[in-house]
Structures are given as C-alpha cells and as structure tokens.
Amino acid sequence: MQDPEFIAPEFIAHRGYSASYPENTLLALDAARQAGAKYLEVDIQLSADHVPVLFHDRDLTRLCQQTGAVHEYSFSQLQDFNVTDSEKFADKFANNKITTLQTFIDFLKQYPELHTFIELKRLMIDTFGEKLSLSIILPMFEGMQDKISFISYNQEILKTIHDSSDYKTGIVVDNWNELDKDLSWQPEWIFCSHEGLPGNNDELNIKSKIAIFEVGNVGLAKHLLAKGIKYLETFRIKEMLTAFSGK
C-alpha cells in the first residue's frame, strides 16, 4: 500500500534519455517518450544563418568532435557533423545528425501529452541578441502555449516572454541565492541544482513550481521528495521511472 504521505515524482527527461542516446537529438527524445516521460527538456541555439537547432554545449568538441561553436557554422555546414558523443558511445551513433527545432516541433505535435521545457541558451542570446532570437523561435511554437515552457539563466529574456506572450517561463539557477528576492514578475517555474538548494526549507515555499537537476539516483530523488519537491530532472529517465513505478 502506498504511503499516504508519499509524493509521486514527476521526472523531466533532461535533454531526452541522454544517459543512453546522444543528448538533444530526436533519438534521445523519442526514447524518453517511449520510456514513459511526460516532460522533456531541450536546449536551443542558432546556426550562423539563424536556423534553430537543439544543442547544449558552448562548442562542438564533446558531442561532434569538431572545433568552434554552433553559431559559427551555417546550418548546411552543421549537417556535415554527427552528434555522437563518442567518448560515451564510441561509434554507436555515427550517423546521428543535429536535430533542428522544426523537426522537434513536428515530433511534439504527434504527442500532445508531452510538455517541453525549452532552454534558451545564454550563448545564443549573447551572440544574436534577445530580439532576433525571440523573433525566430517564438512564432515556431504558435498554438502550443499549453505544451511549452521557456526557461533560461537569462532572466531578462524570460521577463520579455512573460510580459509579451502567453507562454509559461522558468528561471534556471545553479544556486538558490542567485534568485532575485525582489523579482517584480512571477515565473511559473524555478529550476535549481540540487547542490544549490537552501538549507532552510521555508525558502522553498514559493508560488513557482520547483524543478531540481541533476537527479540520477533513487536516494537523491527520495530526499527531494521528502522536501516536497516532486519535479526532478534526470538524464536517466527510464531508470528513474522504473525505480518509482511501483511506489
């Protein structure tokens, strides 16, 4: 019998099922869906010719074994690269291409039960500016406001989205102390590293929903659930869903 005080966790697939597939690619995202994920998280950057793609890192070294950054190549050039994460997967995914945002949106439209957190990367915003970035990305999600939340470390771009659209927003911080205590607007979400949580649980009593990264084991998940935090971001979506399937 389930403990009446047990809080059922809601796991967010961090860059898809990225423990077993190259992160931020359709392979990893569909694998997360098949594993039972209801929430996905992806990272967005722009190519030199302003094509939005799913990519996390500030450079191409780890995932593509290439020099430079996403924004330094045209989309056509990026298509010559493979997202393999060879240190983790060797040559298992040798022909896995960078996933475009449009491809991902087409995928999402097939599965309306999914909710996705779209992280707008700081490097993209610093390189192309807030206005251009939003003018390209926001229209692509037209009609999907109830299925998308935009998140970022950059609070200024989130406030713009919050004030000018119906999309939900979420601030990302590594440490709870980075949150502006005098925030004049209310984001729907706060994403925080588990290592950066405050010692005083009273600080967690806020209107925003709290999501914690990176949660890769059952012990940590239970510790956070005991604090009343149920949204947990993980690279190991299948393993974590399986571990809690009988709770």
Side-chain angles (χ1 to χ4, degrees):
M1 180 179 295
Q2 179 172 294
D3 184 336
E5 296 184 358
F6 176 75
I7 299 175
E10 296 282 3
F11 287 106
I12 302 166
H14 196 176
R15 309 176 206 163
Y17 185 13
S18 46
S20 295
Y21 298 87
E23 64 184 51
N24 273 322
T25 66
L26 203 57
L27 284 176
L29 294 158
D30 193 43
R33 178 196 64 81
Q34 292 184 53
K38 295 188 292 184
Y39 296 90
L40 306 176
E41 184 270 351
V42 298
D43 304 283
I44 303 299
Q45 298 193 49
L46 294 177
S47 66
D49 50 350
H50 305 163
V51 177
V53 298
L54 276 55
F55 207 85
H56 173 271
D57 290 4
R58 297 182 71 88
D59 60 57
L60 295 158
T61 305
R62 177 176 67 92
L63 295 171
C64 300
Q65 298 78 57
Q66 300 290 333
T67 60
V70 165
H71 68 266
E72 296 174 336
Y73 293 91
S74 69
F75 176 67
S76 176
Q77 291 172 316
L78 290 174
Q79 287 300 282
D80 290 334
F81 306 151
N82 295 310
V83 185
T84 61
D85 197 348
S86 62
E87 186 172 325
K88 183 188 293 186
F89 301 117
D91 61 354
K92 183 177 180 181
F93 302 104
N95 297 310
N96 186 39
K97 300 298 181 182
I98 292 175
T99 298
T100 67
L101 177 56
Q102 186 59 61
T103 296
F104 180 54
I105 289 173
D106 292 342
F107 164 79
L108 287 180
K109 288 180 177 178
Q110 299 177 60
Y111 304 104
E113 70 276 13
L114 296 174
H115 187 95
T116 303
F117 297 96
I118 307 292
E119 182 170 344
L120 303 172
K121 301 304 291 182
R122 286 177 290 188
L123 180 59
M124 176 188 71
I125 300 164
D126 292 342
T127 302
F128 296 102
E130 175 186 300
K131 184 176 181 180
L132 176 61
S133 299
L134 291 183
S135 71
I136 294 168
I137 294 170
L138 283 185
M140 297 179 71
F141 289 102
E142 183 63 35
M144 301 177 68
Q145 282 84 344
D146 60 335
K147 299 300 180 185
I148 298 295
S149 297
F150 287 102
I151 65 175
S152 184
Y153 282 91
N154 186 303
Q155 297 187 25
E156 289 76 17
I157 199 169
L158 293 175
K159 186 176 187 304
T160 297
I161 295 171
H162 181 274
D163 291 346
S164 62
S165 75
D166 296 327
Y167 293 104
K168 294 180 173 59
T169 57
I171 295 173
V172 185
V173 293
D174 291 322
N175 193 295
W176 198 260
N177 293 331
E178 297 169 19
L179 289 172
D180 185 350
K181 300 301 189 294
D182 299 318
L183 203 62
S184 60
W185 57 285
Q186 186 69 50
E188 285 78 15
W189 294 87
I190 302 292
F191 278 68
C192 183
S193 164
H194 73 87
E195 297 172 338
L197 282 173
N200 182 358
N201 285 349
D202 290 342
E203 292 188 44
L204 302 177
N205 293 323
I206 59 175
K207 291 182 179 179
S208 304
K209 295 178 181 178
I210 300 171
I212 301 302
F213 61 91
E214 166 56 43
V215 182
N217 63 75
V218 172
L220 177 57
K222 288 183 176 180
H223 171 72
L224 295 167
L225 291 169
K227 286 177 172 285
I229 300 172
K230 71 174 185 176
Y231 293 97
L232 310 175
E233 192 171 21
T234 181
F235 294 132
R236 303 176 66 242
I237 187 68
K238 184 175 182 179
E239 291 82 356
M240 298 303 286
L241 286 172
T242 299
F244 283 87
S245 61
K247 301 296 182 182

